[in-house]
Amino acid sequence: DTAVSQTPKYLVTQMGNDKSIKCEQNLGHDTMYWYKQDSKKFLKIMFSYNNKELIINETVPNRFSPKSPDKAHLNLHINSLELGDSAVYFCASSQSENTEAFFGQGTRLTVV
Amino acid sequence: DAKTTQPPSMDCAEGRAANLPCNHSTISGNEYVYWYRQIHSQGPQYIIHGLKNNETNEMASLIITEDRKSSTLILPHATLRDTAVYYCIVRVEGAQKLVFGQGTRLTINP
């Protein structure tokens, strides 16, 4: 029973394509996040949603559009993929902004 | 959020206590100290957090100095599965994001 699950785990695609990464949490949490880990292993927040509302957008290009159809899901859609988008993307959730975050296993995106 | 400083790498023998230091000299009164770890190819995993008092759970102990300018994460009986990058994060109460630094790469040796 995976608490935070992401699909797909691996994604290889060509430059210019549009792709989506899905995230679901079964913990009943109110807050969900997307983090990006680049090739140098730096983990950085991209977005935060609380009860389906966008709270944080950390100067992410508008080619990245998160969508939260309900509290349990936060999907990440990326348009016009670029080589520099290659990274591991982690979804996470927490009960509230004050509590610990639970992370998914990550989606390794490779743009060729 | 206050900045943290951690040694880039540490080694520890299996079965011994692993003590991971973190310096957060600019921490302010409403900032908590959080520890996460990332085992290779996995997502970060929450370990423990604290404000002023020392904390202990089933995974680790967190010792925070009285002036709160530094802390130590203690894994009492390290196993090979504890090999990971350990992140010390200072987080304002109510802040939604975690700001990860470079962390400490802990290697547990048999």
Side-chain angles (χ1 to χ4, degrees):
Chain A
D1 236 13
T2 307
V4 182
S5 59
Q6 300 177 224
T7 53
K9 189 170 181 182
Y10 300 97
L11 182 55
V12 181
T13 188
Q14 290 189 323
M15 280 175 55
N17 282 352
D18 303 338
K19 290 292 178 187
S20 291
I21 306 172
K22 295 187 176 181
C23 178
E24 176 182 6
Q25 53 97 359
N26 62 6
L27 299 166
H29 287 169
D30 288 338
T31 307
M32 295 186 73
Y33 315 81
W34 278 106
Y35 282 79
K36 178 181 178 181
Q37 187 166 39
D38 61 24
S39 56
K40 294 182 180 175
K41 303 295 185 186
F42 286 112
L43 258 168
K44 194 172 177 186
I45 192 165
M46 299 174 70
F47 300 102
S48 164
Y49 268 71
N50 194 357
N51 276 316
K52 302 195 315 176
E53 281 191 37
L54 178 66
I55 304 298
I56 293 175
N57 178 342
E58 286 281 318
T59 60
V60 178
N62 57 15
R63 296 183 297 104
F64 291 79
S65 52
K67 285 185 173 50
S68 182
D70 55 59
K71 265 178 35 172
H73 296 84
L74 181 62
N75 304 321
L76 184 64
H77 189 75
I78 316 170
N79 289 328
S80 304
L81 277 155
E82 301 177 357
L83 293 176
D85 297 332
S86 295
V88 182
Y89 292 84
F90 289 99
C91 177
S93 74
S94 62
Q95 180 58 50
S96 71
E97 62 271 15
N98 291 324
T99 57
E100 64 269 24
F102 292 79
F103 284 77
Q105 291 301 295
T107 296
R108 182 174 295 277
L109 171 66
T110 304
V111 182
V112 297
Chain B
D1 295 326
K3 184 177 165 52
T4 62
T5 305
Q6 298 177 253
S9 64
M10 290 182 64
D11 284 84
C12 179
E14 189 179 17
R16 305 297 293 266
N19 298 289
L20 292 96
C22 179
N23 184 293
H24 31 79
S25 57
T26 60
I27 194 170
S28 50
N30 64 344
E31 289 181 313
Y32 288 75
V33 179
Y34 277 76
W35 283 84
Y36 280 76
R37 72 180 181 184
Q38 188 174 21
I39 296 169
H40 182 61
S41 296
Q42 295 184 22
Q45 177 190 22
Y46 166 80
I47 302 172
I48 199 167
H49 75 281
L51 182 63
K52 288 192 289 190
N53 299 323
N54 298 337
E55 301 288 344
T56 295
N57 62 20
E58 65 278 4
M59 287 183 71
S61 294
L62 174 59
I63 309 298
I64 303 174
T65 58
E66 197 166 335
D67 63 8
R68 303 213 317 127
K69 292 186 177 182
S70 65
S71 60
T72 301
L73 179 75
I74 301 172
L75 307 178
H77 305 287
T79 70
L80 298 178
R81 289 187 297 177
D82 291 322
T83 292
V85 178
Y86 286 76
Y87 296 99
C88 170
I89 299 165
V90 171
R91 183 187 191 188
V92 174
E93 184 178 10
Q96 291 226 348
K97 64 181 181 181
L98 294 165
V99 179
F100 289 84
Q102 288 197 294
T104 295
R105 181 172 297 279
L106 175 67
T107 303
I108 306 300
N109 299 307

